[in-house]
Amino acid sequence: MKGIYSDQTKNFLFPEEPSVGDLVTVRLRIPKYIGKSLGNVKFAPAKNSKSYQHKKMVFFKETEYFYYYQSTFEMPDRLVKYHFEIKLLEKNKDILYDSMGIVENRPVNDFRLIASFKTPKWSHGSIYYQIFVDRFNNADKSNDPVNHEYQYDGEEVVKKEWDELPDPKNGHREFYGGDLNGVLEKIDYLKDLGVETIYFNPIFVSPSPHKYDTQDYEHVDPHYGVIEEDSEDLNDKYKVRTTSKINLEKSDQLLKKLIEEAHKKNMRVVLDGVFNHCGSFHKWIDEMNLYDNEGVAHNINSPYKRYFYWGSEKKYEGWWGFSTLPKLNYGNITLWKYISDIGKKWVSEPFNIDGWRLDVADDLGKSFEMNSSFWRFFYKIVKKANPESVIFAEIYKSPLAWLEKICWDSIMNYITCMDPVSYFLTGTEKHNEDYKPDYLKNSNYFVNSVRWALSQLPMNSKFIALNQLSNHDHSRWMTRTTQQIGRLGQKSHDEASKGKDIDVFKMGMVMMFTLPGSPGLFYGDEIGLEGWTDPDNRRPFPWGKESQENKEIFNFTKELIKLYKKHPVMRKGSFDFLDWKDGYISYGLWDEDESLIILINREDEDIEIKLPLWILDKENGRLEVLFSTKKIDLRNDKFEKGEKILTIPSKIASIIKIE
């Protein structure tokens, strides 16, 4: 039964982020074709975990194809769960409508309304650009790591040339020399591309190129910043470089300068917070004796011992067994305060970053109670310091339990974007390590996956969630279009581009920018950079050596971003699927000012469709192609009686405006 609809945008809920005591209005749209069969329409908020109130909704307006009903209530000091119930007189049955749509053969999945859950408006649909600093741009050779500068995890580090590619077995010890000055040098490039928020992989002092093994949370790594004080003696070089007060303070000042320059150009900056674990070089462990034997590696009775979990063999617990990643023990309040103060420090003067991405956020601690309690504490400290900062978490499952407690603003949106889009368009898992042919061109699976995912992101969380197709943890989107299974070592660098499908690549980009969320590019996505999963996904950006294909994809990406910025409904509008079958999907985006249709045809041949434009409350009008990955012929651009028959070319994504 198509056409019944509600959501939590301003079209159907206001205020969108109610405070306790606010008068809240919720609305529901019902298609007229139900006609005389329509009985009572009820708003059903939950009284407790087992029962609901049933409040009759009031009819308040009629349009060409729909009746609209609404109900009001005062926002209580608690979470409100609700759905809708529609009585059909002729069939003597109730239709239940919840956050996933019409309830059929499944439990009710209520809408969630969270009291006083306020999110920064700038973060709704912001365009992100993720930078893995060591591989983005090297503008300062003086801070480059040098060969044999130190040992990491038992082997010496290596400095590579910019045009070399990552080694399959040594990716965590290879440095290319990218730095913050390299980002400053390319800040106009980012602005010209249309970037609104820069998200940095970790930049604090750390011995690895990925820097998810923090050595010092309080300072920027001088290898990314400034090295003035140095040593010619390799035995002391790393210690001097990373503990010198001069180097640390000047590196912090360089980050401050970069943030100020970004803000001048109306770009935000988000940092990566790695708080589930630190690194074995951190002074709390001090594996390499960088901090004069302060850590537990040299003194089992160190006061820092309580910051870690310990096994029977007097060895600290490493996250996933990695000794370079000691897991932090949040069973003591001292650590809570220290880490939260780190969160506060960087969002405050003089640095003023605009938010945090929280690494493996659901892994922190040993229980949900400890985990969620800490994140709630962290959230309060950071938001008090900077209410306009954003906090989003890395999590691969439903975040609902955390969002209901207001632990985070949102998440990295694997559940809505990367996973469903990858499977629908390529059948390939996000590491290129599995192929699932049953998911390829399976529109039913895609629609159900996205509907479920959006139901787990209440209110404005769904518009903050970071939509990506590539990042530092997964294979490059371009390589996933090859539909090959493997990783570097099993496969060569060259094979990462063998059989790549530019049409499918572009289709994925259009979907990333049109599904609810904040679209995010991993550096190089804008030119179609290839790469297997880690470490091959972290290839250096080929400045000055871009191919003609790279340049064409860059122009495509830039035009897509330009369109996104021109049409606010793409950033934050109502969203619903219109029609789907096999490898074809259409969905609509609309608000009070504009309605768009997104057409996706993954089939290898042209198909004919009948677009149900009445679902967008349009009877007669015109269609205008705003953007398309291929030429599409609308025949006659006019439509009437709420529908339009179209022939859609194979492997195409189109954005069409309804006039």
Side-chain angles (χ1 to χ4, degrees), residues 132 134-135 150-153 155-158 166-175 206-213 322 324-325 472-473 487 534-535 537-538:
F132 192 94
D134 185 62
R135 312 296 162 85
Y150 56 97
Q151 284 198 346
Y152 177 69
D153 198 19
E155 295 185 34
E156 291 182 336
V157 298
V158 176
D167 184 276
K169 296 181 179 180
N170 204 34
H172 299 308
R173 300 179 191 87
E174 296 182 326
F175 291 85
S206 153
S208 70
H210 57 71
K211 305 213 175 299
Y212 283 96
D213 48 354
F322 292 106
T324 57
L325 305 175
H472 64 288
D473 279 330
R487 62 188 307 150
D534 171 26
N537 53 3
R538 305 169 184 179

Side-chain angles (χ1 to χ4, degrees), residues 441-659:
K441 306 179 192 177
N442 186 337
S443 56
N444 280 326
Y445 179 81
F446 179 84
V447 169
N448 290 332
S449 296
V450 171
R451 282 180 169 170
W452 172 81
L454 294 176
S455 77
Q456 305 305 296
L457 291 164
M459 303 167 64
N460 284 320
S461 285
K462 62 178 61 65
F463 300 110
I464 300 171
L466 180 57
N467 289 354
Q468 291 183 302
L469 293 173
S470 310
N471 64 28
H472 64 288
D473 279 330
H474 305 99
S475 57
R476 289 280 181 172
W477 171 232
M478 183 63 85
T479 292
R480 236 169 292 144
T481 71
T482 69
Q483 299 178 276
Q484 296 183 72
I485 303 306
R487 62 188 307 150
L488 190 61
Q490 302 166 348
K491 300 277 191 178
S492 68
H493 294 105
D494 289 344
E495 286 178 294
S497 58
K498 187 177 181 180
K500 64 186 177 184
D501 193 320
I502 305 296
D503 290 334
V504 170
F505 176 88
K506 291 179 177 180
M507 292 170 69
M509 294 284 278
V510 170
M511 295 176 80
M512 184 180 78
F513 273 86
T514 54
L515 288 169
S518 293
L521 300 168
F522 186 37
Y523 79 97
D525 279 351
E526 73 273 26
I527 62 169
L529 202 61
E530 304 97 345
W532 301 106
T533 196
D534 171 26
D536 198 39
N537 53 3
R538 305 169 184 179
R539 299 181 184 188
F541 195 107
W543 299 108
K545 296 184 178 180
E546 298 92 333
S547 67
Q548 189 58 40
E549 179 183 278
N550 292 149
K551 294 174 182 177
E552 190 274 329
I553 293 174
F554 175 84
N555 291 333
F556 166 87
T557 305
K558 187 175 178 180
E559 287 303 309
L560 182 56
I561 290 173
K562 185 187 297 184
L563 180 79
Y564 181 88
K565 289 187 169 190
K566 188 176 179 181
H567 296 272
V569 71
M570 294 176 67
R571 192 181 296 269
K572 189 178 178 184
S574 289
F575 167 93
D576 197 16
F577 291 102
L578 304 179
D579 196 20
W580 61 94
K581 182 182 179 182
D582 300 328
Y584 155 67
I585 297 170
S586 61
Y587 50 92
L589 306 173
W590 74 95
D591 59 20
E592 59 187 11
D593 299 317
E594 190 174 34
S595 296
L596 302 182
I597 304 163
I598 317 302
L599 300 178
I600 308 293
N601 180 19
R602 178 57 181 87
E603 300 291 353
D604 295 318
E605 59 275 332
D606 298 357
I607 60 171
E608 186 172 271
I609 62 157
K610 183 187 290 186
L611 266 179
L613 299 173
W614 67 269
I615 295 178
L616 298 176
D617 210 13
K618 304 295 182 180
E619 182 180 24
N620 303 302
R622 296 176 57 252
L623 300 179
E624 177 189 356
V625 178
L626 298 180
F627 191 90
S628 189
T629 60
K630 286 182 178 178
K631 182 175 177 57
I632 181 171
D633 184 4
L634 297 181
R635 301 177 187 170
N636 181 342
D637 62 0
K638 295 181 181 178
F639 68 92
E640 56 186 20
K641 297 182 180 179
E643 61 184 31
K644 174 72 173 179
I645 295 175
L646 288 175
T647 297
I648 309 179
S650 64
K651 292 202 288 191
I652 190 174
S654 301
I655 302 172
I656 297 174
K657 182 177 181 179
I658 306 177
E659 298 283 6

Side-chain angles (χ1 to χ4, degrees), residues 256-284:
K256 177 176 176 288
K257 177 183 176 182
L258 192 161
I259 294 167
E260 289 172 348
E261 289 301 311
H263 286 172
K264 286 177 186 176
K265 297 179 183 297
N266 295 315
M267 288 189 284
R268 306 277 180 161
V269 176
V270 171
L271 298 186
D272 209 325
V274 188
F275 304 131
N276 166 71
H277 52 271
C278 65
S280 57
F281 282 30
H282 195 285
K283 69 178 180 180
W284 299 336

Side-chain angles (χ1 to χ4, degrees), residues 72-86:
T72 58
F73 64 95
E74 185 176 299
M75 188 68 198
D77 186 15
R78 62 174 175 82
L79 172 73
V80 174
K81 300 180 181 181
Y82 66 92
H83 61 270
F84 303 95
E85 298 182 7
I86 304 163

Side-chain angles (χ1 to χ4, degrees), residues 1 4 28-43 55-59 67-70 84-95:
M1 185 173 285
I4 299 173
L28 176 69
R29 186 189 77 177
I30 299 176
K32 287 182 176 179
Y33 70 75
I34 293 178
K36 295 180 180 179
S37 179
L38 182 61
N40 287 333
V41 180
K42 296 179 180 179
F43 167 60
K55 184 176 180 181
K56 185 176 180 180
M57 299 186 76
V58 177
F59 169 82
Y67 299 124
Y68 285 79
Y69 291 79
Q70 69 180 24
F84 303 95
E85 298 182 7
I86 304 163
K87 187 75 172 179
L88 294 184
L89 299 178
E90 292 180 0
K91 297 183 179 180
N92 193 29
K93 75 169 188 175
D94 289 337
I95 295 175

Side-chain angles (χ1 to χ4, degrees), residues 104-349:
E104 292 181 312
N105 303 315
R106 61 175 176 82
V108 171
N109 199 333
D110 283 318
F111 289 96
R112 265 73 167 176
L113 194 58
I114 304 164
S116 303
F117 181 25
K118 309 294 183 182
T119 59
K121 287 184 171 56
W122 68 262
S123 67
H124 300 171
S126 186
I127 302 168
Y128 280 75
Y129 190 92
Q130 179 184 349
I131 296 179
F132 192 94
V133 177
D134 185 62
R135 312 296 162 85
F136 182 62
N137 185 39
N138 186 357
D140 182 359
K141 308 294 189 204
S142 70
N143 60 14
D144 289 2
V146 300
N147 282 320
H148 320 304
E149 184 175 325
Y150 56 97
Q151 284 198 346
Y152 177 69
D153 198 19
E155 295 185 34
E156 291 182 336
V157 298
V158 176
K159 169 63 172 64
K160 300 195 72 165
E161 296 302 317
W162 199 259
D163 59 357
E164 293 183 280
L165 293 175
D167 184 276
K169 296 181 179 180
N170 204 34
H172 299 308
R173 300 179 191 87
E174 296 182 326
F175 291 85
Y176 287 79
D179 46 47
L180 295 184
N181 269 315
V183 179
L184 272 167
E185 189 174 85
K186 298 296 182 181
I187 200 86
D188 288 333
Y189 167 87
L190 299 177
K191 181 64 178 178
D192 179 62
L193 179 60
V195 172
E196 295 173 341
T197 301
I198 300 170
Y199 152 42
F200 283 111
N201 284 105
I203 61 171
F204 302 133
V205 183
S206 153
S208 70
H210 57 71
K211 305 213 175 299
Y212 283 96
D213 48 354
T214 311
Q215 176 180 325
D216 184 348
Y217 290 106
E218 299 179 35
H219 296 287
V220 171
D221 195 318
H223 292 96
Y224 283 179
V226 177
I227 293 179
E228 286 192 1
E229 191 169 352
D230 206 345
S231 172
E232 295 300 319
D233 185 349
L234 279 179
N235 292 321
D236 292 327
K237 195 173 191 67
Y238 182 79
K239 180 174 182 176
V240 171
R241 285 181 154 201
T242 61
T243 64
S244 159
K245 185 177 180 181
I246 293 172
N247 293 348
L248 295 172
E249 289 181 350
K250 293 206 169 183
S251 296
D252 294 347
Q253 288 303 307
L254 180 59
L255 175 64
K256 177 176 176 288
K257 177 183 176 182
L258 192 161
I259 294 167
E260 289 172 348
E261 289 301 311
H263 286 172
K264 286 177 186 176
K265 297 179 183 297
N266 295 315
M267 288 189 284
R268 306 277 180 161
V269 176
V270 171
L271 298 186
D272 209 325
V274 188
F275 304 131
N276 166 71
H277 52 271
C278 65
S280 57
F281 282 30
H282 195 285
K283 69 178 180 180
W284 299 336
I285 298 287
D286 200 15
E287 176 188 12
M288 301 301 290
N289 191 19
L290 302 171
Y291 299 97
D292 301 322
N293 299 319
E294 288 187 36
V296 296
H298 306 281
N299 178 9
I300 196 63
N301 296 314
S302 166
Y304 301 126
K305 181 178 180 179
R306 59 185 172 150
Y307 287 2
F308 304 98
Y309 295 98
W310 293 86
S312 58
E313 299 179 0
K314 295 185 178 181
K315 177 65 176 176
Y316 59 80
E317 178 183 330
W319 181 64
W320 283 84
F322 292 106
S323 62
T324 57
L325 305 175
K327 185 171 173 63
L328 293 171
N329 183 351
Y330 282 83
N332 65 85
I333 196 65
T334 308
L335 187 60
W336 282 41
K337 186 176 187 308
Y338 177 81
I339 294 297
S340 297
D341 283 347
I342 291 296
K344 174 183 175 181
K345 169 183 175 174
W346 294 102
V347 300
S348 304
E349 294 283 354

